[in-house]
Amino acid sequence: MTRVFSGIKPTGHLTLGNYLGAMRQWAAVDQHRSDALFCVVDLHALTVDHDPARVRRLSRQAATLLLASGLDPELCTVFVQSHVDEHARLSYLLECVAMDGEMRRMIQYKEKAAREQRRGGSVRLSLLTYPVLMAADILAYGTDEVPVGDDQAQHVELTRDLAVRFNQRYGHTFVVPRATHPRVAARVMNLQEPMSKMGKSDDVGPGIVYLLDEPDVVRKKVMRAVTDSGREVVYDREARPGVANLLEILAACSGGNPEALAGVYESYGSLKKDTAEAVVEVLRPVREKHKELCADPGHVEGVLREGAERARGMARPTVDAAHRAIGLLPAAGG
């Protein structure tokens, strides 16, 4: 079977964008058609200033929400990155084939480093190197496909480059993966800033719908969404980004088409109302299942423990092979 790997970073509460753009696809399609691994990539959350207790809390919440969204441990592997040492073991080897220049050209590093420099500060070294850790996450499992949004495509390209370079220098060791992109709602935009992605790392924001928001909170956020000048409901991403975002969210929730839906509405108010109700309904089963899982924390812990054990068994042969290929002496008895 095709092997799929993807991860969620616990840097904030998961959003409607995470669900419509990734998690729902994982549950409905990927876990059924492939040998799929889904990981809470907690090591990636350490690249910025953080509260340790909050990282632990968000990691547990993210894992619970992955299960609440429909991931089935009988069909796929759900685990926490730091529970599998092979990620860190492989990351250093890949740093030894990555080049300083290609790391500094990574868009997210350039943007965040420039922002901190303007403030008179600096970023952590791990922010520069974390795309290599991401590559290790992927390559350790012989991954064929990585479902990503547009903003992560550059990281998958780096992963491919590192895999090819390692294979050429040290012998064929890694599968060279490819990025896949969801067909619908790959990018859900901020309701207040429709030119910006709805990001979970934004701690506050009336434009962000979180998966655990109460229904009335969801309705209020959607009803207050920024629209555009004019009164006609038209689907035009460039000229009418606010309305286009609402139409895309409604289409993703209802299974419709944004262009066709635009012709149904004569006012922004009715579009907002229907979009709000559609979001409430699509999130209702997730919230209910999350509540049920929270009442049985031992179950979630067991899933993560078994998932890590299974993931470790998948990753270790490849990572051991990479150690041998690059020239490291096997441990005695290994």
Side-chain angles (χ1 to χ4, degrees), residues 104-249:
R104 295 186 187 278
R105 287 193 295 271
M106 301 301 287
I107 293 171
Q108 292 191 22
Y109 171 77
K110 287 170 64 176
E111 291 178 348
K112 291 180 180 179
R115 188 162 59 242
E116 285 301 314
Q117 193 172 29
R118 288 194 296 270
R119 296 172 179 170
S122 184
V123 295
R124 299 182 182 194
L125 177 62
S126 56
L127 186 66
L128 176 66
T129 60
Y130 95 90
V132 179
L133 175 58
M134 183 182 294
D137 300 337
I138 297 165
L139 297 179
Y141 297 99
T143 302
D144 298 296
E145 296 181 4
V146 188
V148 291
D150 294 339
D151 58 328
Q152 294 293 331
Q154 188 186 33
H155 290 148
V156 180
E157 283 305 309
L158 174 70
T159 301
R160 290 171 56 84
D161 291 343
L162 295 179
V164 169
R165 193 177 303 156
F166 192 101
N167 289 347
Q168 289 175 341
R169 290 181 181 176
Y170 306 113
H172 185 78
T173 307
F174 299 118
V175 173
V176 180
R178 60 186 178 274
T180 59
H181 304 279
R183 290 182 294 106
V184 180
R187 296 195 75 178
V188 176
M189 312 308 279
N190 189 299
L191 295 173
Q192 292 297 316
E193 300 174 23
M195 299 299 288
S196 302
K197 183 180 175 183
M198 186 182 285
K200 65 180 179 298
S201 297
D202 303 322
D203 288 337
V204 294
I208 305 168
V209 174
Y210 296 105
L211 296 189
L212 297 180
D213 278 346
E214 294 291 337
D216 285 347
V217 173
V218 173
R219 293 186 182 100
K220 185 179 296 183
K221 288 179 177 180
V222 176
M223 293 304 294
R224 292 179 178 177
V226 167
T227 49
D228 312 288
S229 59
R231 297 182 178 181
E232 189 178 3
V233 179
V234 177
Y235 180 69
D236 186 331
R237 259 187 172 277
E238 299 300 322
R240 304 280 185 90
V243 172
N245 189 36
L246 289 171
L247 288 167
E248 290 185 350
I249 291 172

Side-chain angles (χ1 to χ4, degrees), residues 28-99:
V29 178
D30 291 332
Q31 68 173 343
H32 297 283
R33 70 172 180 86
S34 62
D35 182 9
L37 299 100
F38 301 105
C39 181
V40 178
V41 287
D42 53 345
L43 295 175
H44 292 294
L46 310 184
T47 61
V48 295
D49 189 32
H50 63 276
D51 172 16
R54 185 170 187 266
V55 170
R56 283 191 292 271
R57 184 171 65 252
L58 289 176
S59 296
R60 186 176 295 108
Q61 183 185 90
T64 306
L65 281 168
L66 287 176
L67 299 175
S69 71
L71 293 185
D72 183 347
E74 297 297 320
L75 298 175
C76 65
T77 303
V78 181
F79 67 106
V80 176
Q81 178 189 32
S82 64
H83 295 175
V84 180
D85 293 345
E86 278 65 27
H87 292 253
R89 287 181 63 210
L90 182 55
S91 183
Y92 181 73
L93 300 193
L94 295 178
E95 285 186 19
C96 294
V97 298
M99 307 304 290

